[in-house]
Amino acid sequence: MSAHIQDNSALVLFSGGQDSATCLAWALDRFAHVETIGFSYGQRHIVELECRERLSSGIKAMKPEWARKLGDAHTLDIPTLGEISDTALTRDVAIEMGEGGLPNTFVPGRNLVFLTFAAALAYRRGIANIVGGMCETDFSGYPDCRDETIRALNSALNLGMDKTFELHTPLMWRSKAQTWKLAEELGGRTLIDLIVEQSHTCYLGERGSRHDWGYGCGECPACSLRAKGWAEFQATKESVR
Ligand code: ZN
């Protein structure tokens, strides 16, 4: 028997990166009960999963209300995705542009699989809202990050599970700089510092040296996007001073 679906609870796709940490704060700000789900799929940057605990404890320490709301952290092992994906995220090959304008960091079907597993878990946990950091503003052109894809999948999940899930993508129309801004609105300087210090973005899984935007190789597309967003975010702060 499936649990009753609750409108005020949410399941956040939480990878340990900047975007998903911001999504977690966004969900804690708006829903009464929040759980997280992360995936181990053979990614080279598995270190991101280890960041989750430090981020969660930091987020809990920020506001008693958030600590009260934050429930179970789930991790699902789906090595099959890595086994069938010949990409720079799952193999030790250089990151480069592939055919059709997509970088070889694209893992075909990744977000479709993640969201489907998330919905299956949400079904069992009685959770109606699923939150993901997909974004088609400052992105690498991944077709499964597009708003249209997410909306189509939302319909398919609701039909296929006979539920009324709502997929939320609060970052969809935000630039990376605006994502930093959102984090600041939600948790002030404390949340910004926590994300800089503890979240992981680098595709190569390198913690590397500490830049002003956090840790990473500083060269890969994920690091470049993060660095660029941070610089823009800092520039807007300078201009209002
Ligand atoms: Zn990097």
Side-chain angles (χ1 to χ4, degrees):
M1 195 180 79
S2 72
H4 174 67
I5 295 273
Q6 296 181 24
D7 291 341
N8 60 355
S9 60
L11 180 64
V12 179
L13 271 68
F14 186 45
S15 67
Q18 177 197 348
D19 292 345
S20 68
T22 307
C23 284
L24 178 56
W26 181 86
L28 286 165
D29 195 51
R30 135 180 336 233
F31 298 105
H33 175 77
V34 176
E35 299 185 8
T36 61
I37 182 171
F39 300 93
S40 170
Y41 61 95
Q43 64 267 53
R44 288 167 77 182
H45 52 306
I46 189 77
V47 62
E48 69 176 3
L49 292 182
E50 293 159 19
C51 294
R52 290 179 306 168
E53 206 166 299
R54 288 191 293 274
L55 280 168
S56 305
S57 2
I59 280 175
K60 275 187 178 173
M62 286 176 54
K63 299 186 189 185
E65 188 196 344
W66 285 5
R68 240 185 355 262
K69 290 176 172 184
L70 188 54
D72 290 1
H74 310 270
T75 303
L76 264 57
D77 278 320
I78 45 171
T80 317
L81 187 62
E83 284 162 21
I84 59 173
S85 300
D86 186 16
T87 76
L89 280 201
T90 50
R91 299 269 186 279
D92 189 11
V93 296
I95 296 174
E96 52 189 32
M97 281 313 273
E99 285 167 29
L102 271 176
N104 64 348
T105 47
F106 174 57
V107 181
R110 181 172 55 166
N111 283 334
L112 306 179
V113 170
F114 284 1
L115 287 165
T116 303
F117 271 111
L121 180 70
Y123 185 102
R124 181 162 64 78
R125 304 288 296 165
I127 294 173
N129 300 283
I130 299 167
V131 183
M134 296 82 189
C135 168
E136 69 166 273
T137 307
D138 266 352
F139 80 143
S140 308
Y142 299 162
D144 60 345
C145 287
R146 292 183 299 202
D147 189 50
E148 199 178 348
T149 305
I150 305 298
R151 282 189 281 121
L153 185 62
N154 201 156
S155 304
L157 292 171
N158 286 355
L159 282 169
M161 299 193 198
D162 197 20
K163 292 285 177 198
T164 46
F165 293 117
E166 195 170 338
L167 301 188
H168 301 265
T169 52
L171 310 184
M172 185 59 75
W173 308 114
R174 287 176 210 268
S175 66
K176 286 285 170 197
Q178 287 166 330
T179 297
W180 284 114
K181 182 88 183 85
L182 175 65
E184 189 178 48
E185 284 161 16
L186 290 163
R189 188 71 217 177
T190 319
L191 183 57
I192 295 286
D193 289 346
L194 179 70
I195 293 175
V196 166
E197 212 53 50
Q198 303 295 359
S199 74
H200 184 83
T201 296
C202 178
Y203 275 158
L204 303 182
E206 283 184 23
R207 291 299 281 162
S209 42
R210 168 70 157 78
H211 310 264
D212 50 359
W213 45 265
Y215 294 89
C217 74
E219 303 289 328
C220 77
C223 282
S224 304
L225 257 185
R226 179 159 161 161
K228 179 173 160 280
W230 176 262
E232 284 169 20
F233 173 56
Q234 292 306 313
T236 59
K237 295 170 83 68
E238 296 295 325
S239 65
V240 295
R241 249 175 223 152

